[in-house]
Amino acid sequence: MKIYLDFDRTLFDTNTFLDEIYKLINKYDISKNIFEESKIKLKEKGFNIYWILNEVKKKCHFDKEIYDEINELMKNSFIFIYADVIDFLKKLKEKHYEIILLTKGNKEFQQRKIDYSKVKDYFDDIIITLKHKGDLEIDYQAIFIDDCEKELLSIMKNNPKRLIYINRHNRKEINDSRIMTIYSLKELEEIL
């Protein structure tokens, strides 16, 4: 059986990670408005803190030590992996599932987070894309676990075996009987 797992907010606590980035931005007196404008300007290329800071640098001055702190934060990405992830991945491996990490975002930045998060060895393949996941040429006769309704709906058009919405942060529920909702990977472990 093949399982596609999303990364951000599925395996990786992106909200806490972003909180740490915003603390650094505040610490270095970077205007939040300028930061957000730069983030929006680069949105189509996917979130990459380094590219955003380079764009911010065109409009305001900040201490270059922020790059060292961002690098340190990146190197410690493993602390942002949810507590249930490693056990879940180990159990999937023991059951001989083919596990594919399918994540949307900036390839360079996502790959660094994945590498430093210490989970990549559990995956048979890693796919990083800026496209909607339902627009990819992949095997859709599989189980897909994602936190994003829009991505799950894009996958749905390809008649996947199963769609599972992981709602770790009490976000809006998905009212579609074709999509199962879970709140942790422990729940999913009991279903598989």
Side-chain angles (χ1 to χ4, degrees), residues 12-91:
F12 186 82
D13 188 350
T14 309
N15 294 0
T16 303
F17 177 75
L18 290 174
D19 287 346
E20 292 301 314
I21 286 176
Y22 283 110
K23 284 179 192 171
L24 286 174
I25 286 163
N26 188 47
K27 176 181 172 182
Y28 285 92
D29 295 322
I30 294 172
S31 161
K32 189 167 182 175
N33 288 338
I34 291 173
F35 182 84
E36 292 300 322
E37 287 170 11
S38 299
K39 188 169 93 174
I40 290 166
K41 181 177 180 182
L42 298 171
K43 186 177 182 178
E44 288 187 16
K45 295 180 179 183
F47 184 91
N48 184 321
I49 186 63
Y50 301 101
W51 293 0
I52 294 168
L53 287 176
N54 289 339
E55 188 66 28
V56 167
K57 202 181 336 179
K58 295 174 186 176
K59 296 182 181 179
C60 72
H61 176 75
F62 56 86
D63 195 339
K64 291 182 180 181
E65 274 75 32
I66 191 172
Y67 288 103
D68 294 333
E69 291 200 47
I70 294 287
N71 286 334
E72 196 60 34
L73 183 66
M74 292 297 292
K75 287 177 185 171
N76 289 302
S77 287
F78 62 91
I79 67 172
F80 301 104
I81 293 295
Y82 291 109
D84 60 355
V85 169
I86 299 301
D87 283 342
F88 177 73
L89 292 174
K90 283 180 182 176
K91 287 179 179 161

Side-chain angles (χ1 to χ4, degrees), residues 136-148:
L136 301 174
E137 291 186 25
I138 58 175
D139 179 6
Y140 287 97
Q141 288 307 301
I143 298 169
F144 290 82
I145 299 119
D146 207 304
D147 73 299
C148 180

Side-chain angles (χ1 to χ4, degrees), residues 38-187:
S38 299
K39 188 169 93 174
I40 290 166
K41 181 177 180 182
L42 298 171
K43 186 177 182 178
E44 288 187 16
K45 295 180 179 183
F47 184 91
N48 184 321
I49 186 63
Y50 301 101
W51 293 0
I52 294 168
L53 287 176
N54 289 339
E55 188 66 28
V56 167
K57 202 181 336 179
K58 295 174 186 176
K59 296 182 181 179
C60 72
H61 176 75
F62 56 86
D63 195 339
K64 291 182 180 181
E65 274 75 32
I66 191 172
Y67 288 103
D68 294 333
E69 291 200 47
I70 294 287
N71 286 334
E72 196 60 34
L73 183 66
M74 292 297 292
K75 287 177 185 171
N76 289 302
S77 287
F78 62 91
I79 67 172
F80 301 104
I81 293 295
Y82 291 109
D84 60 355
V85 169
I86 299 301
D87 283 342
F88 177 73
L89 292 174
K90 283 180 182 176
K91 287 179 179 161
L92 288 182
K93 277 299 193 193
E94 287 169 7
K95 292 180 179 181
H96 304 290
Y97 282 94
E98 183 179 350
I99 313 167
I100 299 158
L101 185 63
L102 177 58
T103 183
K104 190 171 178 184
N106 176 274
K107 190 167 188 152
E108 176 187 320
F109 190 69
Q110 286 295 85
Q111 190 64 58
R112 286 183 82 179
K113 281 193 318 190
I114 293 163
D115 289 347
Y116 286 128
S117 70
K118 300 181 182 177
V119 296
K120 75 176 185 174
D121 291 340
Y122 292 100
F123 293 94
D124 297 294
D125 195 9
I126 296 173
I127 302 167
I128 302 170
T129 184
L130 285 172
K131 293 180 181 181
H132 286 296
K133 295 173 183 178
D135 295 337
L136 301 174
E137 291 186 25
I138 58 175
D139 179 6
Y140 287 97
Q141 288 307 301
I143 298 169
F144 290 82
I145 299 119
D146 207 304
D147 73 299
C148 180
E149 179 178 11
K150 193 174 193 179
E151 291 306 318
L152 288 167
L153 293 174
S154 83
I155 294 165
M156 189 179 293
K157 69 184 178 189
N158 294 293
N159 299 312
K161 184 171 183 112
R162 192 171 206 180
L163 290 172
I164 300 170
Y165 172 57
I166 187 161
N167 188 356
R168 289 194 185 266
H169 296 282
N170 295 317
R171 295 163 69 180
K172 183 185 101 176
E173 295 293 328
I174 298 176
N175 294 318
D176 190 317
S177 61
R178 298 169 294 178
I179 301 173
M180 173 187 220
T181 298
I182 60 170
Y183 299 90
S184 73
L185 292 174
K186 186 74 175 157
E187 283 180 71

